[in-house]
Amino acid sequence: MRLNEDCRNGEEKENDRGSLPLSLPQLKLVVGYALTSKKVKSFLQPKLEGLARRKGILFVAIDHQKPLAEQGPFDIVLHKLTGEAWGRILEDYREKHPEVTVLDPPDAIQHLYNRQSMLKDVADINLCDSYGKIGVPKQLVITKDSSAIPDAVSKAELTLPIVAKPLVVDGTAKSHELSLAYDAFSLSKLDPPIVLQEFVNHGGLLFKVYIVGEAIKVVRRFSLPDVDKRELRKNAGVYRFPRVSCAAASAEDANLDPGIAELPPRPLLERLAKELRRRLGLRLFNIDIIREHGTRDRYYVIDINYFPGYGKMPGYEHIFTDFLLSLVQSKYKRRLSNT
Ligand SMILES: Nc1ncnc2c1ncn2[C@@H]1O[C@H](COP(=O)(O)OP(=O)(O)OP(=O)(O)O)[C@@H](O)[C@H]1O
Ligand SMILES: O=P(O)(O)O[C@H]1[C@H](O)[C@@H](O)[C@H](OP(=O)(O)O)[C@@H](OP(=O)(O)O)[C@H]1O
Ligand SMILES: [Mg+2]
Ligand SMILES: [Mg+2]
C-alpha cells in the first residue's frame, strides 16, 4: 500500500462510511485488474470507480502484452480470466510477490469451473440446524457415451425431470446452455461431459447470495417454474432453456406468495458462507439457492459462480470498496504489530 498524503483533497477527503480508521495515514491503494471487456463494462461502472477514487483506491488495467512483474506495483490483483497460461503467470507472480493479495488464487477458482467439484463442499458441509437444511440436488456425471445415459439414470435412481448442465464452466456461452429433460431416453441426445441434476420445484424463485469477503447480500431472481410430475409423460423430450436467473430484472418488486418470497434465514446463510469461504479458499463468489416448494426450510445449492455479476448487486460499490480497504488495513495492522 502506498502512503499518499495528498491523494484526497477538498470534498474527496470525506471518510466514506467510516471505512478508513482516522488513526491510519491516508492510503493509496492500487488494484490491478485482468478482466474480460464484458466484465470491465459490468463491474467497473463509473459509480464504483468514482467512490473508489474518493476512498483512495485506484483501478489499473493489467497490460497483457507486458510481463506482470514489470507492472504495478499493485497492492491487490483482481482477475477473472480463464486458461492455463494465465493461471501459471499468476501463480508465478504470487510466489515472487507474496505481499500482493491476488483475488483469488487460481487453483481455488478452478474448483468452481467444474459443476461436480463446485458442489462437493456444500454436500460435505451437510448443513442442518434449527434454521433449516442445505444440501445439493441428487446428481450424476456422464463423461462419455450418451447412449448409456438412460441406464445410468435408472441405476442412480434419479427422479425426473432432470436438468442437464455442461460439466465444465469455462466462461463460454455454451457452458451455460442447460436443458430440462422430461424423460431419460431423450438425454441420450445430449453431448457429454454433462452433469444430470434432479430438478427441484421451488416456486419459480431463486436466491442469489453474493459474497464479498465477509459481506453477504441476497437478492431474489426469477427462475424456472415448477413442473407438475403428472405432465411428464405428455411432454416427453429434452428442452433447452435460456439463462433465466441471469436477467438484469430482479424479482424484488414482484407480487409474490410470501411463502415463496421469504428470504432464507440470515444465520443459516452466514454459516454456509463462512464454511464455503474457508473450504473453497475464495472471497469473491455467489451461491444460487432454491427452497423446495411446499417446505419452509429445505434448501438446495444448485450453482456457485466465481466473481459473478457484482454490478447487479445493490450497493456493490460500497461493499466492494469497503472490502478492498479491509484487506490492506488488516495487512497494515499486521505489519505495524511486527515492527
Ligand atoms: N436442480 C435444479 N432444480 C431446479 N432448477 C434448477 C436446477 N438447476 C438449475 N436450475 C434452474 O436453471 C438455472 C440455471 O442453472 P445454473 O445456475 O446451474 O446455471 P448457470 O449457467 O451456471 O447459471 P449462472 O448464470 O448463474 O452462472 C437456475 O438459475 C435455475 O433457474
Ligand atoms: O451475477 P449472476 O446473475 O450470477 O450472473 C453472472 C454469472 O454467474 C457470471 O458467470 C457472469 O460472469 P462471466 O461472464 O465473467 O462468467 C456474470 O457476467 P457479468 O459480470 O457481465 O454480469 C453474470 O452473468
Ligand atoms: Mg446460476
Ligand atoms: Mg453458474
Side-chain angles (χ1 to χ4, degrees), residues 31-50 59-64 78-81 307-312 316:
V31 180
Y33 64 87
L35 303 168
T36 58
S37 51
K38 172 178 166 275
K39 194 58 124 187
V40 170
K41 195 160 169 252
S42 72
F43 174 72
L44 271 182
Q45 294 176 26
K47 64 179 175 191
L48 174 69
E49 281 202 292
F59 287 100
V60 178
I62 287 172
D63 182 346
H64 294 283
L78 197 61
H79 70 103
K80 184 173 181 181
L81 292 179
F307 201 145
Y310 286 118
K312 285 179 263 167
Y316 88 105

Side-chain angles (χ1 to χ4, degrees), residues 102-175:
V102 173
L103 291 172
D104 277 302
D107 282 357
I109 298 173
Q110 208 54 40
H111 205 67
L112 295 189
Y113 288 161
N114 175 302
R115 294 189 193 268
Q116 186 177 31
S117 55
M118 159 201 292
L119 298 184
K120 189 179 176 299
D121 290 295
V122 180
D124 291 347
I125 298 167
N126 194 14
L127 213 166
C128 182
D129 64 16
S130 56
Y131 291 103
K133 185 169 166 52
I134 306 184
V136 299
K138 199 164 169 183
Q139 67 176 37
L140 171 69
V141 177
I142 306 284
T143 50
K144 43 185 188 279
D145 192 7
S146 51
S147 64
I149 294 179
D151 251 7
V153 166
S154 132
K155 267 200 201 110
E157 297 180 356
L158 244 59
T159 309
L160 292 159
I162 287 170
V163 189
K165 312 184 183 187
L167 177 62
V168 177
V169 185
D170 56 7
T172 60
K174 200 161 174 39
S175 63

Side-chain angles (χ1 to χ4, degrees), residues 36 38-39 42 80 171 176 208 210 221 243 245-246 286 288 305-310 312:
T36 58
K38 172 178 166 275
K39 194 58 124 187
S42 72
K80 184 173 181 181
H176 296 283
K208 277 219 176 253
Y210 288 94
R221 291 277 177 82
R243 285 181 85 175
S245 72
C246 203
N286 75 2
D288 288 353
N305 302 297
Y306 183 65
F307 201 145
Y310 286 118
K312 285 179 263 167

Side-chain angles (χ1 to χ4, degrees), residues 29-272:
L29 180 64
V30 183
V31 180
Y33 64 87
L35 303 168
T36 58
S37 51
K38 172 178 166 275
K39 194 58 124 187
V40 170
K41 195 160 169 252
S42 72
F43 174 72
L44 271 182
Q45 294 176 26
K47 64 179 175 191
L48 174 69
E49 281 202 292
L51 181 63
R53 208 176 310 118
R54 295 200 293 280
K55 288 179 164 183
I57 304 169
L58 195 67
F59 287 100
V60 178
I62 287 172
D63 182 346
H64 294 283
Q65 308 307 318
K66 287 194 203 149
L68 189 50
E70 285 173 19
Q71 301 180 56
F74 302 122
D75 299 294
I76 293 172
V77 167
L78 197 61
H79 70 103
K80 184 173 181 181
L81 292 179
T82 45
E84 277 176 34
W86 172 247
R88 274 196 301 275
I89 291 173
L90 269 184
E91 284 301 358
D92 186 48
Y93 181 78
R94 285 179 75 215
E95 236 171 72
K96 292 191 179 122
H97 294 276
E99 77 286 3
V100 180
T101 304
V102 173
L103 291 172
D104 277 302
D107 282 357
I109 298 173
Q110 208 54 40
H111 205 67
L112 295 189
Y113 288 161
N114 175 302
R115 294 189 193 268
Q116 186 177 31
S117 55
M118 159 201 292
L119 298 184
K120 189 179 176 299
D121 290 295
V122 180
D124 291 347
I125 298 167
N126 194 14
L127 213 166
C128 182
D129 64 16
S130 56
Y131 291 103
K133 185 169 166 52
I134 306 184
V136 299
K138 199 164 169 183
Q139 67 176 37
L140 171 69
V141 177
I142 306 284
T143 50
K144 43 185 188 279
D145 192 7
S146 51
S147 64
I149 294 179
D151 251 7
V153 166
S154 132
K155 267 200 201 110
E157 297 180 356
L158 244 59
T159 309
L160 292 159
I162 287 170
V163 189
K165 312 184 183 187
L167 177 62
V168 177
V169 185
D170 56 7
T172 60
K174 200 161 174 39
S175 63
H176 296 283
E177 282 178 1
L178 275 56
S179 313
L180 188 60
Y182 282 64
D183 71 282
F185 289 96
S186 304
L187 284 167
S188 36
K189 289 184 204 150
L190 298 176
D191 270 344
I194 49 174
V195 169
L196 302 179
Q197 200 174 76
E198 280 188 352
F199 180 88
V200 178
N201 278 344
H202 53 282
L205 193 82
L206 170 128
F207 305 104
K208 277 219 176 253
V209 182
Y210 288 94
I211 313 286
V212 181
E214 307 273 302
I216 302 176
K217 185 104 191 167
V218 194
V219 299
R220 297 178 183 89
R221 291 277 177 82
F222 289 115
S223 181
L224 290 181
D226 288 351
V227 175
D228 183 343
K229 301 247 172 186
R230 290 167 305 189
E231 303 289 306
L232 287 175
R233 272 166 193 259
K234 273 193 254 164
N235 296 313
V238 50
Y239 304 92
R240 279 262 296 277
F241 62 86
R243 285 181 85 175
V244 257
S245 72
C246 203
S250 87
E252 291 307 323
D253 305 322
N255 191 10
L256 298 159
D257 170 347
I260 290 172
E262 191 191 356
L263 293 179
R266 190 86 196 169
L268 190 68
L269 296 183
E270 275 168 8
R271 271 192 68 189
L272 177 70

